[in-house]
């Protein structure tokens, strides 16, 4: 089905308030569920108790309509603060496709390398990895010319990351944190951990790649 027809289906399926809510949610990328409920209450002039009761009934049709574009609305509990978050997610494509809207291929490859460092074992998942270690890891090159059998980075991708300047790498990490793909602890080391958007968008990938203890925890959380 052409995209124009898909958009028409969404236009006819949603009312004005649902359209406005969807636009706001997509503009933010990720939103705490409490903030989303508050926005919904203000849009329809509801008190918070009523809004909490009716909220899922309000956004469920939006999620259904987004199916025409292979998108969905997902709600997860973020492990760092135990709060619920929601966002529009892409149901198709790998992690690179979901990151491609703002990042170039080298930046996406950098994110994947940091992701691999975080997912290395349960300790690195729980504690995170310090920025220096994350940047140092981007200097190592694999031995294969093409993409690895497990979907990892190719030699060409890794070498392109290695050629990035330290300034560019640090700027990319800041962007990834600002966009919610990563989060950085407040201590002096500034450990990098998975952000709420990573859990929303990359749920299947993370569950597949996570070490055993983290996977068991995330299966309950996600």
């Amino acid at each position: 089905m052409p995209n124009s027809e898909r958009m028409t289906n969404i236009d006819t399926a949603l009312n004005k308030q649902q359209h406005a809510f969807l636009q706001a949610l997509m503009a933010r990328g990720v939103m705490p569920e409490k903030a989303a409920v508050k926005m919904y209450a203000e849009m329809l002039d509801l008190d918070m108790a009523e809004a909490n009761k009716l909220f899922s009934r309000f956004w469920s049709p939006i999620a259904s309509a987004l199916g025409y574009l292979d998108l969905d609305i997902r709600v997860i509990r973020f492990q760092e603060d135990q709060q619920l978050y929601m966002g529009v997610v892409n149901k198709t494509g790998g992690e690179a496709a979901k990151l491609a809207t703002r990042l170039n291929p080298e930046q996406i490859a950098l994110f994947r390398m940091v992701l691999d460092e975080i997912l290395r074992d349960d300790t690195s998942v729980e504690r995170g990895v310090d920025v220096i270690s994350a940047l140092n890891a981007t200097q190592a090159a694999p031995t294969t010319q093409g993409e690895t059998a497990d979907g990892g980075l190719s030699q060409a991708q890794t070498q392109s990351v290695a050629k990035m300047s330290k300034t560019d790498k640090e700027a990319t990490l800041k962007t990834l944190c600002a966009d919610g793909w990563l989060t950085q602890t407040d201590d002096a080391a500034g450990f990098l951990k998975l952000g709420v958007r990573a859990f929303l968008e990359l749920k299947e990938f993370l569950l597949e790649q996570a070490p055993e203890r983290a996977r068991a925890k995330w299966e309950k959380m996600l």
Side-chain angles (χ1 to χ4, degrees):
M1 181 183 296
N3 282 338
S4 58
E5 292 184 28
R6 294 181 178 184
M7 290 303 300
T8 299
N9 283 329
I10 293 177
D11 290 340
T12 57
L14 304 181
N15 60 37
K16 182 171 66 175
Q17 290 83 7
Q18 288 169 325
H19 270 291
F21 180 86
L22 174 59
Q23 290 172 356
L25 184 59
M26 294 187 73
R28 288 166 175 79
V30 178
M31 184 183 295
E33 189 187 51
K34 289 181 180 178
V37 174
K38 182 179 180 182
M39 182 174 66
Y40 162 61
E42 292 172 349
M43 288 171 56
L44 277 76
D45 196 22
L46 304 172
D47 61 57
M48 288 302 295
E50 187 176 12
N52 277 306
K53 290 180 181 178
L54 301 176
F55 183 55
S56 61
R57 192 184 306 173
F58 170 78
W59 68 259
S60 291
I62 304 175
S64 297
L66 287 173
Y68 287 105
L69 298 176
D70 292 322
L71 301 174
D72 195 8
I73 294 177
R74 180 174 288 169
V75 179
I76 60 103
R77 187 175 298 279
F78 186 40
Q79 62 174 355
E80 298 301 318
D81 59 13
Q82 294 303 308
Q83 299 298 308
L84 292 173
Y85 289 82
M86 67 189 311
V88 177
V89 301
N90 183 352
K91 296 191 294 184
T92 61
E95 70 272 15
K98 298 172 183 182
L99 285 156
T101 53
R102 286 196 59 182
L103 303 179
N104 62 39
E106 289 77 19
Q107 291 172 318
I108 293 171
L110 173 63
F111 173 68
R112 175 58 195 273
M113 295 176 77
V114 174
L115 199 60
D116 287 346
E117 282 297 298
I118 294 173
L119 296 174
R120 185 175 62 249
D121 54 44
D122 283 303
T123 299
S124 58
V125 167
E126 190 68 27
R127 185 184 63 180
V129 295
D130 66 83
V131 174
I132 299 301
S133 295
L135 293 177
N136 286 342
T138 66
Q139 301 304 318
T143 57
T144 54
Q145 290 294 327
E147 190 174 270
T148 60
D150 64 355
L153 294 172
S154 69
Q155 185 179 34
Q157 289 172 308
T158 308
Q159 288 177 342
S160 71
V161 173
K163 292 176 182 177
M164 292 175 67
S165 69
K166 182 181 178 183
T167 300
D168 287 341
K169 290 178 181 178
E170 290 175 342
T172 298
L173 293 178
K174 287 182 180 179
T175 297
L176 289 165
C177 288
D179 289 350
W181 296 103
L182 297 173
T183 186
Q184 191 166 10
T185 59
D186 295 329
D187 53 30
F191 281 79
L192 295 169
K193 305 178 75 173
L194 297 175
V196 63
R197 193 167 182 184
F199 285 106
L200 277 168
E201 291 270 10
L202 308 178
K203 172 184 174 181
E204 292 78 11
F205 173 82
L206 294 179
L207 290 176
E208 179 182 332
Q209 300 294 324
E212 184 176 356
R213 190 170 70 236
R215 183 185 301 114
K217 179 180 179 180
W218 293 348
E219 283 175 343
K220 296 177 182 178
M221 181 184 74
L222 301 177

